[in-house]
Amino acid sequence: MTRGSLVDVSMSLTTMPPTRYQGSKRRLAAWIIGRLAEFDFGTVLDAFAGTGSVAYALKQAGRVVTCNDLLAFNYQIGLALVENHAEQLTPDQVDTLLAPRDGHLYDDFIARTFEGIYFTADENRWLDVVVQNLADVACRHRRALGYFAVYQAAMAKRPYNLFHRRNLYMRTADVARSFGNKVTWDRPFEDHFRRFVNQANEAVFDSGAECVSANRDVLDIAGTFDLVYLDPPYMNSKGVGVDYHHFYHFLEGLTDYDSWGERIDHQSRHLRLQSVASPWTKPGEIRGAFERVFERFSESIVAVSYRSDGIPSVDELVSMIRRFKGRVVCHTCPPSPYALSKNRRTHEVLLIGSRHRTSSVR
Ligand SMILES: C[S@@+](CC[C@H](N)C(=O)[O-])C[C@H]1O[C@@H](n2cnc3c(N)ncnc32)[C@H](O)[C@@H]1O
């Protein structure tokens, strides 16, 4: 695929597979790409890429994409779907991944450690085997496709798709339920895994441009980029931020199986990983974090996904970006007809700072 008109691409975007990720921009990717159409850019960084939905759309548009996230499991997703241009997992390779290897001594770390917390005993043993098989796959892109399928299966089988509570009982208790998807929770890991491998295989394509996945703090990313897309963790008007490290610690552990035990916070009831301080979850530090990022990428066009009730406010962000850019435009996304009523009070915005001298906010 050659570098194409973003307007044409935004009209025809097929989205990447669903990822059940908090704050995913998968449904908004076409709208975001359409807003970037007036800019001429070849190299682009998705600096807080999460599951990479915007990076993937930019790859579809033929741009040279760097897809970065601080979490190692998101790095694997970027490897599988953005950096990977050709590798797929064949049915034979999937069968090999799912079976215990003759003569191989498997650790039972998940079964021993997480009994009764997230998954059943059989499911924990399944994870122990498959994750150790995956770690030994030589091709990093094929390995990443397998990780993608394990992560998706693990999220699909969790209440709220998260790991922030010890709540296996929600699946297993014999009570009448008015919510939840017990059929999905109870579907075997293997069924989910095979389905998600198929989805990931189908999403692999060669854009003709080199794309890479990276795993760094936003301020440690090397290089220069024509455009930088920023979708940092959202902090709501009450000062409550999304702590991705906490929500998804179990997927980080699956990705770092051999060191998982050393990284666990044994004081936490649900055995999360030891927390990592982040300015993006602290109301007193988040403004400074934004300032540092805008300064670091002052040479690039910057596009920021945001919500209208976030901390800092949209006006504050516009002022910060304007210190480095001549022009700041604020686009408001039309509300989705499917949005929950409580979400209709806030809306998704995209702030774009560029070097043009005119200044407008709409
Ligand atoms: C709102 S989510 C991004 C969602 C993404 N656009 C998508 O469509 O899936 C914010 C992401 O920022 C990442 N993050 C948090 N702190 C970071 C940091 N200091 N550097 C890089 N990424 C960070 C989190 O791991 C999380 O995936």
Side-chain angles (χ1 to χ4, degrees), residues 21 24-25 48-51 53 69-71 74 217-218 231 244:
Y21 195 58
S24 164
K25 298 299 176 292
F48 298 87
T51 49
S53 56
D69 198 272
L70 190 58
L71 294 181
N74 283 326
D217 182 283
V218 61
D231 184 19
Y244 284 89

Side-chain angles (χ1 to χ4, degrees), residues 45-50 66-71 214-225 228-233 277-280 285-286 288-298 300 302-304:
L45 166 68
D46 184 351
F48 298 87
T66 300
C67 175
N68 177 75
D69 198 272
L70 190 58
L71 294 181
N215 182 208
R216 300 198 171 274
D217 182 283
V218 61
L219 292 177
D220 296 333
I221 304 166
T224 54
F225 307 90
V228 176
Y229 171 69
L230 302 165
D231 184 19
S278 167
W280 299 98
E285 296 183 23
I286 195 165
F290 268 111
E291 297 258 359
R292 287 190 291 279
V293 169
F294 293 142
E295 185 167 15
R296 159 68 184 87
F297 297 113
S298 57
S300 311
V302 290
V304 187

Side-chain angles (χ1 to χ4, degrees), residues 4-26:
S5 148
L6 288 180
V7 177
D8 295 345
V9 172
S10 76
M11 305 281 283
S12 63
L13 271 187
T14 51
T15 48
M16 62 176 261
T19 57
R20 291 162 192 76
Y21 195 58
Q22 285 268 323
S24 164
K25 298 299 176 292
R26 180 174 162 273

